[in-house]
């Protein structure tokens, strides 16, 4: 059988199957749900078989047929090979667009303040930043490279450590002036603590309870305080004088260096079990603009770490 000229329809089918929704597939493909539905129907008409059982409502509104479910892995593998082939064709080009995925907080507090340095070094490369806390599908989302926070293992991706991290409390200079009695961790009792709800203590993130226990101040009550679901906003709340935040050194480094934040109890060291890693697919490693961005990230991380060491 000849290969059909329905690449757009196949992409619509693959995305719809992955999301179990025409609407979610449309959002990913930047078209309307009606357009996705029409593409899938055109593929069904060409094949002469249904690909989905369509329900009226509920979780089972869009369910693959048995034959579609059997074919889907081969179709996904085909798109992976097409993506690899395009990357091979682009390997000779030093310029172009590089798609980078990072968390919103890492983008705001570390990457974007430095990105002009990359443009100065590689003026022919444009960066398309995809900020999300979700683990992205590099093939489906067209991601070239990313920075992830964790233990260094993500299926299907190469991971190179970028930066280790320390955990420590921070506050604004004005807050510290108003709370001169805070000399040791136990003095945080009764003070306003800022909690980061975006972190997950089950996979190694450090909570206030864990830090205080390690610092010998387990008696401090952490149940009260401001709760924020964004790491960058947590630090901004501390900058604005709303209390003491438990900071991650990579995120807070620039604020501490500039004096917007003060590191409390600097003699207490608490290394995170997690670290920042550069991640990418091995088959894309030779892409010149990816290599250039990876090298630049390593250089910037080295500079940042040296600056943090001097600040101690």
């Amino acid at each position: 059988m000849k290969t059909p000229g329905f690449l757009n329809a196949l992409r619509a089918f693959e995305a719809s199957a992955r999301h179990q929704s025409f609407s979610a597939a449309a959002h990913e493909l930047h078209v309307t749900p009606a357009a996705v539905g029409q593409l899938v129907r055109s593929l069904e008409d060409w094949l002469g078989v249904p690909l989905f059982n369509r329900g009226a409502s509920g979780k089972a509104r869009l369910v693959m047929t048995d034959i579609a479910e059997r074919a889907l892995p081969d179709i996904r593998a085909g798109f992976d090979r097409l993506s690899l082939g395009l990357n091979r064709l682009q390997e000779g080009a030093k310029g172009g667009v590089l798609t980078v995925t990072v968390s919103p907080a890492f983008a705001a507090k570390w990457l974007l303040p430095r990105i002009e340095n990359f443009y100065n070094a590689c003026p022919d490369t444009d960066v398309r930043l995809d900020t999300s806390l979700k683990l992205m599908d590099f093939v489906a989302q067209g991601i070239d490279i990313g920075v992830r926070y964790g233990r260094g293992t993500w299926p299907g991706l190469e991971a190179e450590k970028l930066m280790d991290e320390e955990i420590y409390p921070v506050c604004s200079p004005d807050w510290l002036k108003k709370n001169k009695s805070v000399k040791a961790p136990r003095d945080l009792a009764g003070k306003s603590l800022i909690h980061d709800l975006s972190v997950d203590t089950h996979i190694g993130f450090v909570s206030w309870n864990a830090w205080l226990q390690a610092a010998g101040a387990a008696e401090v009550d952490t149940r009260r305080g401001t709760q924020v679901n964004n790491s960058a906003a947590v630090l901004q709340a501390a900058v604005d004088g709303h209390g003491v935040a438990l900071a991650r050194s990579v995120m807070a480094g620039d604020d501490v260096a500039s004096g917007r934040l003060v590191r409390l109890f600097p003699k207490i060291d608490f290394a995170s079990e997690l670290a920042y890693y550069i991640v990418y697919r091995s088959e894309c490693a030779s892409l010149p603009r990816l290599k250039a961005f990876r090298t630049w990230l390593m250089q910037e991380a080295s500079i940042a770490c040296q600056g943090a060491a001097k600040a101690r």
Side-chain angles (χ1 to χ4, degrees):
M1 183 174 67
K2 294 182 179 179
T3 302
F6 286 126
L7 283 179
N8 287 338
L10 285 169
R11 176 59 81 186
F13 161 65
E14 189 278 333
S16 299
R18 182 160 25 88
H19 293 291
Q20 294 185 304
S21 165
F22 285 158
S23 295
H27 180 75
E28 176 184 314
L29 300 174
H30 305 291
V31 296
T32 65
V36 171
Q38 183 58 44
L39 284 167
V40 172
R41 280 190 290 273
S42 70
L43 184 59
E44 290 175 321
D45 291 342
W46 186 86
L47 293 168
V49 295
L51 299 174
F52 294 103
N53 294 315
R54 296 162 173 84
S57 61
K59 293 182 178 179
R61 189 171 183 178
L62 198 66
V63 179
M64 278 189 294
T65 60
D66 290 342
I67 193 169
E69 196 163 357
R70 288 197 301 272
L72 184 61
D74 291 326
I75 291 170
R76 283 180 173 160
F79 278 118
D80 287 350
R81 299 301 298 179
L82 280 172
S83 178
L84 177 58
L86 287 172
N87 285 330
R88 297 295 188 216
L89 291 174
Q90 292 174 329
E91 282 183 355
K94 295 183 179 179
V97 177
L98 184 75
T99 302
V100 181
T101 181
V102 296
S103 72
F106 185 82
K109 303 302 294 184
W110 197 90
L111 184 60
L112 288 176
R114 295 168 169 80
I115 197 66
E116 192 64 28
N117 295 337
F118 176 72
Y119 289 138
N120 291 336
C122 302
D124 295 329
T125 300
D126 295 320
V127 172
R128 183 174 75 86
L129 204 56
D130 193 323
T131 61
S132 176
L133 288 173
K134 297 180 180 179
L135 298 182
M136 306 298 288
D137 184 326
F138 275 44
V139 175
Q141 304 296 328
I143 303 296
D144 295 307
I145 191 171
V147 177
R148 285 183 175 170
Y149 188 63
R151 300 185 186 277
T153 302
W154 292 274
L157 296 175
E158 297 291 325
E160 297 179 74
K161 184 179 285 189
L162 179 64
M163 289 177 284
D164 287 309
E165 190 162 62
E166 284 188 273
I167 309 296
Y168 49 72
V170 294
C171 66
S172 71
D174 287 342
W175 188 94
L176 190 57
K177 288 179 183 178
K178 296 175 184 177
N179 295 271
K180 294 180 180 180
S181 62
V182 176
K183 303 292 186 181
R186 64 178 177 274
D187 298 329
L188 291 175
K191 304 301 182 182
S192 179
L193 303 182
I194 304 171
H195 301 267
D196 189 345
L197 298 184
S198 70
V199 299
D200 185 347
T201 56
H202 295 301
I203 60 171
F205 286 102
V206 180
S207 66
W208 265 115
N209 283 334
W211 189 90
L212 287 165
Q213 184 172 1
E219 71 279 5
V220 175
D221 187 354
T222 63
R223 290 175 294 179
R224 301 292 300 276
T226 304
Q227 300 182 0
V228 187
N229 67 349
N230 180 283
S231 297
V234 165
L235 294 178
Q236 188 58 49
V239 169
D240 293 339
H242 297 310
V244 181
L246 191 60
R248 291 150 56 189
S249 61
V250 170
M251 297 290 188
D254 289 350
D255 288 323
V256 172
S258 69
R260 291 188 295 270
L261 288 174
V262 176
R263 175 176 177 175
L264 296 176
F265 328 123
K267 292 183 179 180
I268 298 177
D269 293 322
F270 193 113
S272 173
E273 296 178 7
L274 310 181
Y276 291 88
Y277 291 83
I278 302 172
V279 292
Y280 53 87
R281 290 187 294 146
S282 59
E283 58 266 32
C284 300
S286 60
L287 194 65
R289 56 181 174 271
L290 185 152
K291 292 170 64 178
F293 192 76
R294 173 192 165 279
T295 299
W296 173 77
L297 282 173
M298 290 291 193
Q299 291 171 345
E300 289 292 333
S302 178
I303 293 170
C305 291
Q306 290 172 11
K310 290 180 180 179
R312 291 292 303 273

